[in-house]
Amino acid sequence: MDPQLTSIIVPTEELGQIEECLVRLVEDTGSDYALLLDKSGQVICSKGDGDRQDITALGALIAGVFASSREVAKLLRERDFRASFQQGVRENIFIALIEEQWILCIIFNKGTHIGLVKVLTKKATDELASVLERVRQQHKARDEVLGSSFRTSMEDTIDLLFRD
């Protein structure tokens, strides 16, 4: 399994920082909604219009759109596309990749200027990248500890079972 698609637990402190960043992004841009997703489409955090009931489906579909745009980039011999813009009749979506594992999605209406969204999204992705890197390092350290503890426990159990 792709290690980037494994489940990572976001600690409370980091989740608070992520929420603050998303709230600030929504308020500063005048957007309707912001979502932070992992690459598989799992919603890590969402802020904005509380009436959205389709967050899980939206997250999965946005991840799919972003994955397909990355495949288009490969066909065009680009390394990747780090951002994507979808323009609708009423709402627009701006999607940005954070590191190689997370996706930030901003949903906004026609009254919001795309230039403002791009600039403030870049600022937010930088901030979120540092928070999410801490989460990744904590997860890696926890896996190493659990891995070695489990291995030691298993070896001790086997020794007990087959002791002469």
Side-chain angles (χ1 to χ4, degrees), residues 15-40:
L15 186 58
Q17 293 171 350
I18 291 168
E19 288 175 343
E20 286 175 19
C21 182
L22 294 184
V23 166
R24 190 170 47 253
L25 182 61
V26 167
E27 289 174 354
D28 292 352
T29 60
S31 298
D32 298 326
Y33 216 77
L35 294 118
L36 179 64
L37 314 167
D38 70 7
K39 226 162 96 171
S40 68

Side-chain angles (χ1 to χ4, degrees), residues 106-126:
I106 313 301
I107 300 171
F108 56 100
N109 62 32
K110 296 293 181 187
T112 303
H113 192 274
I114 182 62
L116 179 65
V117 171
K118 286 181 178 181
V119 168
L120 294 178
T121 296
K122 173 63 175 134
K123 183 178 174 186
T125 58
D126 292 344

